[in-house]
Amino acid sequence: MLRGERIGLRARIESDVQVLHEELHDDVLTRSKADTRPWQPTPVAHSVYAVGESSAEHAPFTVVDLGSGEVLGEAIVWGIDQHNRLAHLGLAVLPAHRGKGYGAEAVKVMCRYGFRIRGFQRLQLETLADNHAMIGAAERNGFVREGLLRRNAWVDGAFHDEVVLGLLADEWRP
């Protein structure tokens, strides 16, 4: 497990799937904001959060409270490009745990994983321009706004802008 001060990032286990699926996937608007694929009803048995084989292209984690072991959300390092030594970060905190700083801490731990453990030279994330929580969590960890993708995401019947943020290994301050 990767540990922060209050949260840990651990490999997904079967008991996480139900919680993540019900709290994140079944919330249509939240899932639509977090995924470029269109939302569709999916049974837990085929959940996007299902425990699966490890992959060279992505590393999924469950975010847990270190004190209680409670599931707080999911974190993923995805789009891993080992040749260019870069990856993307994704994060979703369960609704009951938002606004408590868990997101910023999870980004911090993912940066440590990306830069120290995996040896990446760049981490990047894309989020909706109105996702102030994710933008704030990224910027608190040193990410820099690199661009705006205008009307790049279809969410709930309208196109929305996305912000691209990046962090280079030599800019990162653990």
Side-chain angles (χ1 to χ4, degrees):
M1 178 184 303
L2 301 171
R3 296 176 184 275
E5 292 178 25
R6 300 179 300 154
I7 63 100
L9 301 182
R10 65 163 162 74
R12 182 119 349 114
I13 59 175
E14 288 296 333
S15 61
D16 299 342
V17 177
Q18 181 86 26
V19 174
L20 294 172
H21 190 85
E22 288 177 0
E23 295 283 330
L24 298 175
H25 180 79
D26 285 348
D27 179 345
V28 177
L29 186 57
T30 295
R31 186 67 193 172
S32 297
K33 288 180 176 183
D35 198 334
T36 59
R37 299 167 291 192
W39 185 90
Q40 59 186 21
T42 306
V44 174
H46 300 287
S47 178
V48 297
Y49 305 105
V51 176
E53 298 294 318
S54 60
S55 166
E57 289 82 34
H58 68 279
F61 298 96
T62 296
V63 182
V64 296
D65 181 291
L66 287 176
S68 68
E70 183 178 7
V71 173
L72 302 174
E74 74 148 341
I76 185 166
V77 178
W78 63 277
I80 295 172
D81 179 340
Q82 204 57 56
H83 175 72
N84 292 304
R85 293 179 41 214
L86 59 90
H88 300 255
L89 303 184
L91 176 67
V93 176
L94 301 180
H97 301 291
R98 293 178 186 156
K100 299 176 182 175
Y102 295 129
E105 189 172 348
V107 170
K108 181 178 183 177
V109 176
M110 283 191 287
C111 288
R112 188 172 72 232
Y113 172 74
F115 293 130
R116 283 196 180 157
I117 296 171
R118 297 297 298 263
F120 297 139
Q121 61 89 26
R122 174 186 171 78
L123 294 174
Q124 175 176 317
L125 62 90
E126 302 83 14
T127 190
L128 295 177
D130 67 353
N131 187 348
H132 304 294
M134 187 64 197
I135 294 168
E139 289 178 339
R140 279 191 293 284
N141 282 288
F143 280 78
V144 175
R145 291 182 197 219
E146 297 181 334
L148 179 72
L149 303 172
R150 298 178 306 144
R151 296 179 57 184
N152 196 58
W154 178 257
V155 177
D156 198 29
F159 285 103
H160 295 266
D161 296 344
E162 285 186 308
V163 176
V164 177
L165 298 109
L167 180 62
L168 303 178
D170 58 1
E171 297 170 338
W172 177 58
R173 302 287 175 254

